[in-house]
Amino acid sequence: MSTVLSPAPTSHPARVETTAPTLSARQLAAALPGALRGLDPRKLWDAPVLFVVEVGAAFSTVLAVVDPSVFAWAVAVWLWITVLFATLSESVAEGRGKAQAASLRATQRETTARRVTAPQDTLDYGGDLASLPAVQVPSSALRVGDVVVVVAGETIPGDGDVVEGVASVDESAITGESAPVIRESGGDRSAVTGGTVVLSDRIVVRITAPAGHTFVDRMIALVEGSERQKTPNEVALNVLLTVLTIVFLLAVVTLQPFAVYSGARQPLIVLVALLVCLIPTTIGALLSAIGIAGMDRLVRRNVLAMSGRAVEAAGDVDVLLLDKTGTITLGNRQAADLLPAAGVSPEALADAAQLSSMADETPEGRSVLVLVKERFGLRERAEGELAGAELVPFTATTRMSGVDLPASGRRVRKGAAAAVTHWVHATGGHTGPEVAATVDAISASGGTPLVVAERVGSAPARVLGVIHLKDVVKQGMRERFDALRAMGIRTVMVTGDNPLTAKAIAAEAGVDDVLAEATPEDKLALIRREQAGGRLVAMAGDGTNDAPALAQADVGVAMNTGTTAAKEAGNMVDLDSNPTKLIEIVEIGKQLLITRGALTTFSIANDVAKYFAILPAMFVAAFPQLSVLNVMHLHSSESAILSAVIFNALIIVALLPLSLRGVRYTPASAARMLRRNLLVYGLGGVIAPFVGIKLIDLLVTLLPGIH
Amino acid sequence: MEPTWIVLAQLGVVVLVLAATHVPLGTYMARVYSSARHLRVERAGYRLMRVDPDADQRWSTYLLSLLGFSLASVLLLYALARLQSWLPLDVGMPGMNPATAWNTAVSFVTNTNWQSYSGEQAAGHLLQMAGLAVQNFVSAAVGMAVAIALVRGLARSSAHGRVGNFWSDLVRGSVRILLPLAFVAAIALIAGGVIQNLHAFSDVSTVAGGTQHLLGGPVASQEAIKELGTNGGGFFNANSAHPLENPTPWTNTLEIVLLLVVPFALPRTFGVMVGDRRQGWAVLAVMGSLWALAVALTTWAEVAGPGLAPAAAGAAMEGKELRFGPAASALFAASTTGTSTGAVNSMHESLTAPGGGMTIFTMMLGEVAPGGVGSGLYGLLVLAIIAVFVAGLMVGRTPELLGKKIGRQEITLVSLYILVMPALVLIGTALAVALPVGRDGISQAGPHGLSEVLYALTSASNNNGSAFAGLGASSTFYDVLLGVAMLVTRFVPIALVLGLAGRFASQRTVPASAGTLPTHRPLFVGLVVAVTVVVVGLTFVPVLSLGPVVESLS
């Protein structure tokens, strides 16, 4: 987790930003060729609603040729426009990924790789592979298990793990982030991606993906939408839409016998128009655009979903597992307070704390320097200010750092309470009960106590006081968790800290639950437990030991900086390696589902007005009393039917920007969200076409030849 | 004209009795279907049928048991109807012809009780009692069993598609629920003046020298289960308009209560069995709203409805019994069409145009207001799933009902369910008006003729069984067409619902959270009502507009 970004604190911390550009005329023009290709009936067969519209359009064209009239041609043309708008929507949505795909493709140009030639045993277990003989091969010839050497200035020829060396790598081609990242063998930062460039040093890489199946290949397929498979809910919705289409087909086909019985036989073109207006064309046309745009919104946030299923699952997530470090807290503990021992002045403690931290290069050590500077105005001491000072660096065995000042005979130490206490006792000194009490109090509050002590000459050492180190919770996290809770999502903080510390931070950050002293096995067990209760779990992780949990979670977001194992196990990869993004991913998943539901509701609600436009128009000649149903006072039968058809087509493009952007989403309880969306898209869906059809009718009557 | 207060009193009594019985009857039924104990008489029955009542069946086994039982019922009933003249208690009735016997057998086994014969001219006492009355019990119990299986599916978690035991559900529904209720109801009806004997029909000479045709039969017992099991097949042709079936306003009120009591109590059973009574209240609220809407509009149409003749007479009295009056007739009409009962106490053919249209529309809702015994509950749950599926997405989760995800397979089953009835109604009606043999049955030309055919197909395709009596439906064409419609619309949806129950039972239940769509709030109730009315409306508005709508507006 090298590039942890803090979330941008905004007034609505948890709101999905709508950065998608609005629809431009150029975008539409660029999408037109794709839209025309989409008219191929074999492609439309997958979307039965659109297939029916196309058959209707073709049929009405035949009818218009056989029995030409302005009305017949107008209906036929508008039916074709309806299909075209539908395929255009999909094409526009796909077009937005094209540019990104092109820049990714640029990274894929053929390079030469230096493949180490040695027996497999040596490759697998041998050391110093970089010094072995190597041959030049084209990158496309690399196979899994091959070992290549890459030096500064070269492009990494394929996906793999660093097995030797450390290097800084420019991954901007994939992540867009210009700052180089460190890749080294062993540990959790060993994965490299083909197409990225080594900036310094030399690394040996074992290839883990065959050419053509690399991460970039998958990315290209994803952003282009060419590999897009329908998500489960999309498939289910398609089933419902198909059956609705069949119901309306029955209603329209059987209408002719009833009309004949009633002495009001209908022209076939009118029946075709009625059918197209009734079947759910709006949602049918926009369904795949919504899906592609949802994936696109993720890509824009530098998240790659390896399956659409995962995006939908993200909307359903019940439990979020969040790592404490880097996700909830800023990653490092920081000095928050100085608590002097009895008889010691705060200034003296600050001075000793500063001295003892000079040798401490850890973030915690630096935070002590910052604190004393802010509180006591103690500047950092310049080089040479302390003549002959010997710095004692922190080591894992001593668990102390400090400084020896031979000039004054002073030795200052700072470190873990147990270590410093041990040091004081060893010199014959005492720590005193009140220091122990302070230490315990800090521990109990979830902080980390660092004890500062000094020894002058050969006198027993004495404790000067305690530094209170605290985990600093990122800004805005509490609001985010509150928002998640409102959405019904429980957050569980995962940390290696002891339960006491963990609880304190959990309380401060406002998470619902905490898994303390967590091992990877604990994490996996927790996920299984939640899933056994029927809940869906999302988590982020980067290490190899996270891989089982990532694979088990319903939504597993792997950090791009992480290991190949983690990336393979998760079903999403975050190129920014920002675990906080999990929350945004959930929101994008929800937004996708909401948009789908809203437009389905809108589409079906539209039919009410269309009936009021078309039915009186069809039968008013035979039954004049039906004119009371012409509540919109449409001009004539022909204008009414044509207006409904035109409205039906135009509403598709009118709603396209909304499908691409997604319905506005603010975290709220399900009940509130339902009320709002029903009002806007249900009631709005009933009312909008009354207005729209009336307005179009006013224009249509201006057409010459429409009676 | 009856005074307004009598009308209101009747309605008030109906609502009060339903309100009073809802909780105890619903809870009792839940206990009946959940109990592990068998009564002695039930055990004997199981031994006789050689079935194991404790086997927890998978949905497919449950379905096969149900289909086997129903097939046997159809065959038995067909044989009884054809052979009744050779059997005892035939009271001189000849055997039915094949088309009528087929239609009658299917009709009673599917809980439709469409009658293409006249009871007093075609059905002997043995056929009435051993055939029709038995089916009145068991066909109702089958409907309840299916509903209970679906409820079990929703209530269970990871149960590998096991939804209960058909035989035990069938027997318990008959023995512990319908029989006792029917017994009490029959006694009450006898007290109210309904006849109950085994007399043959006879002609007697009156003192004045004329002859009078005297009717007899076990009417009260039949009448009770006819209403209680939402069956509707009258002992006599005039059904509940006949003075021997329904003599007084008092028995009329009782019969309305009987046909509503079980369907309106089942939501409680549902709520108890899924462990969330609020869900039961919500279902009740949807059913109640639809029923209230149907009653209000039908009553308005009949009491204040348009038309010259009604205006002259003060109300639309044609085809109605003076002892009931237009309002009580409307209440009966709305309730019988809302419950898939199909008993009538007036001639629906003679309802005003909007009133007749309302009865057709009420049936078209799919019999969920409150629907047939059992079928109303599972029909409504299917509609709730549609509502959840469309609107549920709008809360940002993949749709779920009671913790069960509505995925591709679930929505496929549900979609096919909602396809069956409209397909039968529309195709059947189109066939009937397009073919000369179908048009021959129409008694009135014009829009009313279309309404006659539409009513018949809608009634059969919803297992209602009432008729716009003007249609001459006793031809072979209608016998076969309506028979097919009744059979398909009963058993295809049952198969789909049991499949759905199996899917739900296999699923793990997702616990509810603040992010879950609440399905017990008024908003959701309104949504289900709206989805029901809109989906049905969109499907049938074209044909309705050429029938009842045109008629109403003329």
Side-chain angles (χ1 to χ4, degrees), chain B residues 55 88 94 109 130 141 180 201 218 221 233 238 293 296 312 363 409 422 465 473 502 525:
Chain B
V109 171
F201 304 160
S221 56
L293 218 64
M363 289 189 282
Q409 296 192 335
V525 170

Side-chain angles (χ1 to χ4, degrees), chain B residues 8 18 37 56 65 104 126 159 168 183 185 252 285 383 414 425 460 537:
Chain B
L8 290 177
L18 292 177
R37 235 165 32 85
D56 200 359
S65 312
T104 305
L126 185 73
S168 125
F183 183 77
N252 191 51
L383 286 165
V414 165
V425 172

Side-chain angles (χ1 to χ4, degrees), chain A residues 588-676:
Chain A
I588 289 171
K590 286 194 177 290
Q591 201 187 18
L592 171 72
L593 295 170
I594 293 174
T595 308
R596 219 179 260 160
L599 292 185
T600 307
T601 308
F602 188 87
S603 192
I604 295 171
N606 268 205
D607 281 2
V608 176
K610 290 174 188 164
Y611 265 134
F612 274 100
I614 297 183
L615 278 182
M618 288 171 85
F619 297 115
V620 78
F623 302 105
Q625 65 266 39
L626 282 178
S627 64
V628 299
L629 295 181
N630 184 6
V631 289
M632 285 174 270
H633 297 291
L634 303 177
H635 178 71
S636 67
S637 295
E638 288 193 350
S639 78
I641 293 167
L642 190 56
S643 303
V645 170
I646 294 176
F647 175 84
N648 195 45
L650 290 182
I651 196 73
I652 296 173
V653 267
L655 290 175
L656 178 56
L658 181 70
S659 338
L660 296 180
R661 200 177 58 229
V663 166
R664 190 168 68 83
Y665 168 69
T666 33
S669 73
R672 278 187 52 190
M673 248 189 286
L674 180 66
R675 195 174 322 126
R676 177 187 170 276

Side-chain angles (χ1 to χ4, degrees), chain A residues 151-167:
Chain A
V151 300
E154 287 182 347
T155 303
I156 298 173
D159 291 1
D161 282 324
V162 179
V163 288
E164 265 181 44
V166 51

